[in-house]
Amino acid sequence: MCGLSGEIRFDGRPADIGVVGRMTDSMHERGPDGSGLWEWGPVALGHRRLKIIDLSDKAAQPMADPALGLTAVFNGCLYNYRELRDELRGEGYRFFSTSDTEVLVKAFHRWGADCVRRFAGMFAFAVFEQATGRLTLARDRLGIKPLYVSGNGDRLRFASTLPALLAGGEVCTDIDPVALHHYMTFHSLVPGERTILAGVRKLPPATVRTVEADGSSRDTVYWDPPFTRLPEHEGMDAADWRDAVHDRLRAAVRRRMVADVPVGVLLSGGLDSSVIVAMLAEEGQRDLSTFSIGFHGAGGDSGDEFRYSDLVADHFGTDHHRILIEDSRLLSGLPDAVRAMSEPMVSHDCVAFHLLSHEVARHVRVVQSGQGADEVFAGYRWFPPLAAVPREEAFATYAKEFFDQPHEDLAGIVAPQYLVDEDVSGEIIRRHLARPGAETALDAVLRLETRLMLPDDPVKRVDNMTMAHGLEGRTPFLDHELVELAAACPPELKLVGGGKGILKEASRALLPREVVDRPKGYFPVPAIRHIDGPFLDLVRDALTAPAARERGLFDKAYVEDLLENREASRTTTGVNMLWQLGLLEMWLQAQGV
């Protein structure tokens, strides 16, 4: 788990090692254990290291293998690196370290870019071939590890974070109107390749980009589950599916214990994180460290779920850490959490994750967490309404449940110079839902969530907030083989009991009934959910700052009314809109844009 960066030039000039050094230095928190730079003519690579596997200097990056003519930088973990190393040894490869990075280098030499199909893990990497001048960029199937790119025709730069690219300079920081449309429609989420800045793009998940020495490139998508019923599952009843989910999840949790340092669990008290603890206990894990966070209540909302996390910790005898955050610390921690975001994210639990990660990093360097289960097993409120909807009506139902506001309403919120004529957000959803495969409306939406929305919401949140403290977050519910199994599972089995039915059934033999059948909870941060007092002042300051006024993203009268009309701004819609607009400006100002 680390931060990578690099530059490749196409104009005959040498790469700028100084620029790569600045990008690398800006990611110190992602890799506090070491730093390295490498250059060769038109290419320069940089790396910040967090020591998780092979703690020796032999595993340092950038990792060059002169015999193979390859140099690589890698962020993530290959959970099956030991099995791959044994296979490669059988084919004559010799290893100088016990790292998964070296396995990646040898695997790339043996199988080329197709090596990604053999990897079980989370990863983003760049491999440079000296013989051809070719650069290969790749990202894992679920987009767990990020990779941002920026180019101007003469060169291409890439990094694990968007702010790292900004640190390198020469990036167009104009606001992308299409991305702004997505941001306002999808509750701050900008899916796909775009970011809120016109000059920065993302390498999509499950994608290999091959960049030739002349600057030409091609993308290959190497994973795309069909979300249909498969022949190998024919004849399976509900009990068979329950057992299959149990076994596949247990294997996913076991995989994510691979490390040369202790591994803990972020225990919210919900089903998802609780079953991870249960699986580890089932595997015989002892002295497991678990961590829960809570806040003071506000506006009638409770600020913690300690009653459930305590129940699970006591049941399995974990070394449990209950962390209560004072409101004053929440307020002071909010700017740091915003600065840690590679892209603006309005979810309240970003701040919670940031503060929790700070505490957890004092005890362990790796944690498992339950993110992704709701998207994979249909746990959100917008999934059940799709059960009785014909396949062709999936868009209307999904848009009604998920979109913040319709396209036509943005004209009164977004300033005219940033408006787009077409409903670009609706179109991207229609296009994804219309793709072949996905037998039912629910299948189509679950595929959309998994392939498009998931990487740019909970997945990004976990990576950004944990890595801000040099903590590696691992997500067993995003094990690609578990996701494939869930994609093939009949929709009705996922929707039982209000959602995640098949997961609940797989958990019953492991967890107390109170945890399995509890109402669905959300990471509560009441002081932010009910923006008032100093939190309202932060939002007001961001929206009225000189930079915000000069940028003029939003309709001036709308913003003034939102800030001054206390009755309107105290509604759920008003609070959400205040936070959505204010967070974007906070982020832009924190990045110096």
Side-chain angles (χ1 to χ4, degrees):
M1 184 68 74
C2 311
L4 64 84
S5 62
E7 176 181 273
I8 180 170
R9 298 203 66 97
F10 315 119
D11 58 1
R13 297 173 58 188
D16 192 330
I17 193 69
V19 164
V20 175
R22 290 199 303 273
M23 292 195 294
T24 303
D25 289 345
S26 74
M27 296 184 289
H28 177 273
E29 291 82 4
R30 292 185 73 93
D33 297 332
S35 179
L37 297 172
W38 179 89
E39 60 180 325
W40 188 87
V43 174
L45 302 175
H47 190 263
R48 294 290 323 192
R49 185 183 180 199
L50 176 65
K51 293 181 179 179
I52 301 296
I53 293 176
D54 188 345
L55 309 185
S56 75
D57 289 341
K58 292 179 180 179
Q61 299 184 50
M63 182 175 285
D65 191 322
L68 303 182
L70 300 176
T71 302
V73 283
F74 164 51
N75 170 30
C77 182
L78 304 183
Y79 302 126
N80 63 336
Y81 79 100
R82 291 170 179 160
E83 297 89 334
L84 290 172
R85 185 174 61 201
D86 289 343
E87 182 178 357
L88 290 163
R89 274 179 173 158
E91 299 196 23
Y93 287 89
R94 300 178 64 183
F95 289 80
F96 55 80
S97 75
T98 58
S99 71
D100 53 344
T101 305
E102 189 180 5
V103 170
L104 187 153
V105 172
K106 261 73 171 182
F108 186 91
H109 183 267
R110 173 63 183 86
W111 298 298
D114 273 350
C115 65
V116 294
R117 302 178 188 274
R118 295 172 175 261
F119 294 161
M122 53 181 182
F123 53 85
F125 66 78
V127 177
F128 179 66
E129 304 171 58
Q130 289 181 224
T132 62
R134 181 181 299 125
L135 178 77
T136 300
L137 305 174
R139 198 170 170 207
D140 65 68
R141 296 168 180 84
L142 277 301
I144 302 170
K145 301 316 299 175
L147 192 56
Y148 293 87
V149 297
S150 178
N152 64 3
D154 291 335
R155 50 98 178 135
L156 174 72
R157 292 177 184 165
F158 50 92
S160 294
T161 72
L162 187 154
L165 290 174
L166 296 180
E170 302 178 71
V171 175
C172 175
T173 57
D174 293 346
I175 300 299
D176 180 340
V178 173
L180 181 61
H181 194 285
H182 295 338
Y183 179 92
M184 297 302 298
T185 304
F186 303 141
H187 201 54
S188 91
L189 193 156
V190 179
E193 288 193 71
R194 294 179 184 272
T195 75
I196 201 69
L197 301 184
V200 181
R201 292 290 184 261
K202 293 168 286 198
L203 183 70
T207 299
V208 174
R209 178 166 298 166
T210 304
V211 183
E212 302 294 345
D214 62 2
S216 61
S217 66
R218 65 183 182 280
D219 282 5
T220 301
V221 176
Y222 63 90
W223 185 77
D224 191 18
F227 281 78
T228 60
R229 315 292 80 81
L230 302 176
E232 57 262 38
H233 301 133
E234 188 174 349
M236 288 177 61
D237 61 16
D240 294 328
W241 277 106
R242 176 200 64 206
D243 294 343
V245 168
H246 174 278
D247 293 347
R248 188 62 259 163
L249 179 57
R250 181 175 58 185
V253 171
R254 186 191 307 126
R255 269 179 174 170
R256 283 153 184 80
M257 291 303 293
V258 172
D260 293 333
V261 295
V263 179
V265 178
L266 301 182
L267 177 60
S268 70
L271 171 68
D272 311 332
S273 60
S274 297
V275 76
I276 293 172
V277 173
M279 292 281 184
L280 290 171
E282 190 180 46
E283 288 291 307
Q285 184 76 20
R286 296 291 179 265
D287 301 318
L288 179 68
S289 293
T290 54
F291 305 86
S292 301
I293 192 171
F295 303 88
H296 292 286
D301 288 343
S302 171
D304 70 73
E305 294 188 325
F306 287 151
R307 59 172 289 202
Y308 294 108
S309 56
D310 286 352
L311 177 64
V312 174
D314 290 345
H315 187 84
F316 294 105
T318 71
D319 178 17
H320 190 55
H321 303 258
R322 182 203 269 202
I323 303 163
L324 180 65
I325 302 294
E326 298 296 327
D327 283 352
S328 60
R329 191 169 166 212
L330 177 60
L331 180 65
S332 64
L334 179 55
D336 288 338
V338 172
R339 279 190 291 270
M341 298 175 183
S342 270
E343 298 175 69
M345 295 177 281
V346 301
S347 295
H348 300 152
D349 59 5
C350 281
V351 187
F353 261 113
H354 190 266
L355 293 167
L356 176 60
S357 297
H358 174 77
E359 296 297 325
V360 173
R362 297 164 55 190
H363 302 275
V364 297
R365 289 199 164 193
V366 181
V367 286
Q368 297 200 37
S369 69
Q371 272 63 42
D374 287 302
E375 290 83 358
V376 172
F377 287 104
Y380 287 128
R381 61 173 172 76
W382 51 82
F383 292 128
L386 290 156
V389 172
R391 176 75 166 75
E392 59 273 15
E393 296 179 17
F395 173 80
T397 303
Y398 182 73
K400 179 181 177 182
E401 295 289 335
F402 185 75
F403 286 17
D404 283 341
Q405 52 268 317
H407 166 71
E408 53 271 18
D409 287 359
L410 292 180
I413 302 171
V414 175
Q417 64 269 32
Y418 293 107
L419 288 172
V420 292
D421 294 334
E422 303 297 327
D423 181 10
V424 290
S425 299
E427 180 54 32
I428 194 174
I429 301 302
R430 287 187 179 90
R431 189 165 62 248
H432 273 263
L433 291 176
R435 293 172 56 215
E439 297 174 13
T440 68
L442 181 63
D443 286 320
V445 169
L446 286 173
R447 180 178 61 182
L448 168 74
E449 288 275 321
T450 302
R451 296 288 287 120
L452 192 68
M453 298 301 190
L454 179 68
D456 283 294
D457 191 13
V459 169
K460 183 192 301 172
R461 198 182 318 151
V462 172
D463 175 83
N464 285 192
M465 298 302 111
T466 56
M467 289 305 297
H469 300 284
L471 179 68
E472 176 172 313
R474 297 179 174 179
T475 48
F477 285 102
L478 301 184
D479 183 277
H480 75 276
E481 292 178 345
L482 177 63
V483 173
E484 290 169 356
L485 179 69
C489 180
E492 60 270 18
L493 295 182
K494 286 177 272 198
L495 291 178
V496 170
K500 292 195 290 194
I502 193 68
L503 179 60
K504 292 175 183 176
E505 292 307 309
S507 305
R508 290 196 183 279
L510 303 172
L511 290 171
R513 178 186 57 79
E514 300 95 314
V515 175
V516 176
D517 294 324
R518 58 164 290 192
K520 179 171 175 55
Y522 294 88
F523 216 152
V525 191
I528 295 179
R529 186 178 300 164
H530 301 276
I531 299 175
D532 211 342
F535 293 93
L536 178 59
D537 292 340
L538 278 177
V539 172
R540 183 189 306 277
D541 289 347
L543 288 172
T544 59
R549 293 188 181 281
E550 182 178 351
R551 196 174 357 257
L553 283 178
F554 305 112
D555 181 85
K556 183 178 178 181
Y558 178 84
V559 172
E560 289 178 350
D561 185 61
L562 201 57
L563 287 170
E564 301 306 326
N565 186 340
R566 297 291 293 165
E567 183 175 347
S569 67
R570 293 303 89 196
T571 65
T572 299
T573 300
V575 168
N576 289 341
M577 189 61 74
L578 268 176
W579 183 238
Q580 192 165 12
L581 305 190
L583 190 281
L584 177 54
E585 270 300 337
M586 286 184 205
W587 184 85
L588 290 168
Q589 292 165 34
Q591 305 305 329
V593 174

